[in-house]
Amino acid sequence: MKTRSEKSALRDLAEVLYPEDSAEPILARPVRGALMEWLTEIWAERELLDVGLTPRRRALFYGPPGTGKTTLAHHLAARLGLPMVIARADQMIDSYVGSTSQNIAKLFDAVRASDEPSVLFLDEFDSLGMKRMQARQGSESERNHSVNTVLQRIDAHTGTLIAATNRADDLDQAVWRRFEIQIEIALPGPIERRHILARYLKPYQLPEDSLATLADAFGGSSPALIRQWCEGLKRQMIVGPRAGWDMNRDRVIERLIASIAPHPDLPQPRLWSKGVLDPAVRGLVWPLERTQ
Ligand SMILES: Nc1ncnc2c1ncn2[C@@H]1O[C@H](COP(=O)(O)OP(=O)(O)OP(=O)(O)O)[C@@H](O)[C@H]1O
Ligand SMILES: [Mg+2]
């Protein structure tokens, strides 16, 4: 049974996501292969135990923002039929001496004491698993202490654990090694971009060649940006006529590009540099066709 303080620790430090709300991210084939291998291993736990092996339990997802790390962890938990307890590592950091380590301990204890099994997901993990330094100041020795706590807690944790970061370089090597699987979730290639566009444009549909040209124009984009663009386009298709906006193709795309942009640190996709002169826009069948 969970004690009241363990229940409130889970509530304060984490959020629970359930299988029914999950969605499968669109990923490159090698990544899908690696994930399928891991899932199969967990499903085969009993057979593995029979030969003295245990399935790997700890994975690290790293890669740029908006590539689907959180979505993927949630999807994997759902495939295992488990809820996902999601804790943001940066929210566990507390400047009060010893508090960060206490938060880490509280979270792991609460997950272990929980009545139902779950997948523990540590988001923004770099903030907890940062490289340790020669402690010259109190704050550094405090941080080293919390990294050590994380290491011990990861070692002792018996359930499935996934951590994610978009700053893999900042991770302590000992922390990195604790994970039996490290999977890079990179920016999508042209094939994945095409699938992502098709998914988020639905129920609007583009001919294959038009979709492929659009996928080229999105080179260097994260899936999150593609999704935002597609949803912006659909919103304009519905709201624009009601609001009396100019629904000419180039005007619609201009408004869209002006209101959605990749992060300044990220590469600028061709669509943003060429705008309505981009071949992908010139080739866009207008008005968009809708399947339902
Ligand atoms: N590979 C993908 N396929 C389909 N949709 C995706 C994919 N990646 C991201 N998305 C969409 O983009 C949004 C952001 O995704 P998510 O939060 O999973 O990214 P993340 O990698 O965890 O980002 P961060 O590093 O900022 O935490 C979600 O709405 C998700 O549906
Ligand atoms: Mg995330």
Side-chain angles (χ1 to χ4, degrees):
M1 273 293 278
K2 270 189 284 195
T3 65
R4 192 174 322 147
S5 76
E6 279 159 354
K7 273 188 190 156
S8 74
L10 262 190
R11 230 190 356 255
D12 293 345
L13 298 169
E15 180 191 352
V16 181
L17 300 185
Y18 293 94
E20 54 274 23
D21 303 318
S22 72
E24 183 170 4
I26 293 166
L27 298 166
R29 199 213 294 242
V31 175
R32 269 185 288 142
L35 292 164
M36 206 51 224
E37 192 184 313
W38 188 33
L39 271 178
T40 314
E41 201 174 297
I42 299 177
W43 286 325
E45 177 167 18
R46 203 167 313 142
E47 293 90 324
L48 284 172
L49 285 174
D50 285 346
V51 297
L53 291 176
T54 47
R56 291 171 295 176
R57 287 283 179 202
R58 299 191 285 263
L60 174 71
F61 298 160
Y62 66 98
T67 46
K69 298 179 293 298
T70 303
T71 310
L72 174 63
H74 189 191
H75 171 69
L76 283 173
R79 294 285 299 263
L80 296 171
L82 298 175
M84 176 167 94
V85 173
I86 166 168
R88 290 211 17 203
D90 52 342
Q91 284 176 358
M92 299 178 66
I93 292 178
D94 194 318
S95 54
Y96 209 70
V97 175
S99 294
T100 307
S101 291
Q102 273 172 19
N103 284 342
I104 297 166
K106 263 193 219 157
L107 172 74
F108 277 90
D109 284 343
V111 170
R112 191 181 50 198
S114 172
D115 303 327
E116 53 171 356
S118 58
V119 170
L120 175 57
F121 179 60
L122 300 174
D123 213 353
E124 318 285 342
F125 188 61
D126 46 279
S127 45
L128 270 190
M130 269 192 196
K131 286 178 185 149
R132 283 165 292 183
M133 298 183 180
Q134 275 223 298
R136 265 173 262 116
Q137 289 178 352
S139 62
E140 282 164 6
S141 95
E142 175 66 10
R143 208 180 58 196
N144 293 351
H145 178 50
S146 44
V147 175
N148 289 333
T149 307
V150 163
L151 285 172
Q152 286 161 8
R153 288 297 174 148
I154 291 179
D155 281 342
H157 191 69
T158 49
T160 304
L161 171 79
I162 302 173
T165 178
N166 41 46
R167 296 170 56 185
D169 294 352
D170 289 346
L171 284 187
D172 191 272
Q173 287 190 26
V175 171
W176 180 276
R177 273 202 319 276
R178 283 309 184 281
F179 293 93
E180 299 144 300
I181 301 172
Q182 293 95 0
I183 296 184
E184 181 180 12
I185 314 289
L187 290 174
I191 299 174
E192 292 77 43
R193 289 198 299 271
R194 216 174 62 210
H195 288 303
I196 294 167
L197 279 163
R199 175 187 288 183
Y200 293 121
L201 281 174
K202 268 189 201 144
Y204 296 95
Q205 207 178 17
L206 294 178
E208 270 307 311
D209 55 340
S210 195
L211 203 56
T213 324
L214 195 56
D216 280 346
F218 271 103
S221 303
S222 68
L225 181 69
I226 301 178
R227 177 176 190 170
Q228 195 188 359
W229 190 90
C230 292
E231 292 182 347
L233 180 57
K234 293 197 288 190
R235 203 169 289 124
Q236 289 219 28
M237 300 303 287
I238 300 300
V239 179
R242 287 184 56 156
W245 297 340
D246 183 349
M247 292 306 286
N248 170 285
R249 182 189 66 194
D250 289 1
R251 298 295 83 72
V252 170
I253 304 294
E254 259 170 12
R255 286 197 297 267
L256 200 52
I257 294 176
S259 62
I260 293 167
H263 189 279
D265 290 349
L266 294 173
Q268 196 179 53
R270 202 185 70 201
L271 188 60
W272 272 264
S273 46
K274 293 209 162 161
V276 292
L277 298 177
D278 195 285
V281 180
R282 303 252 74 86
L284 213 53
V285 181
W286 202 258
L288 292 181
E289 263 179 46
R290 201 170 148 162
T291 49
Q292 314 141 18

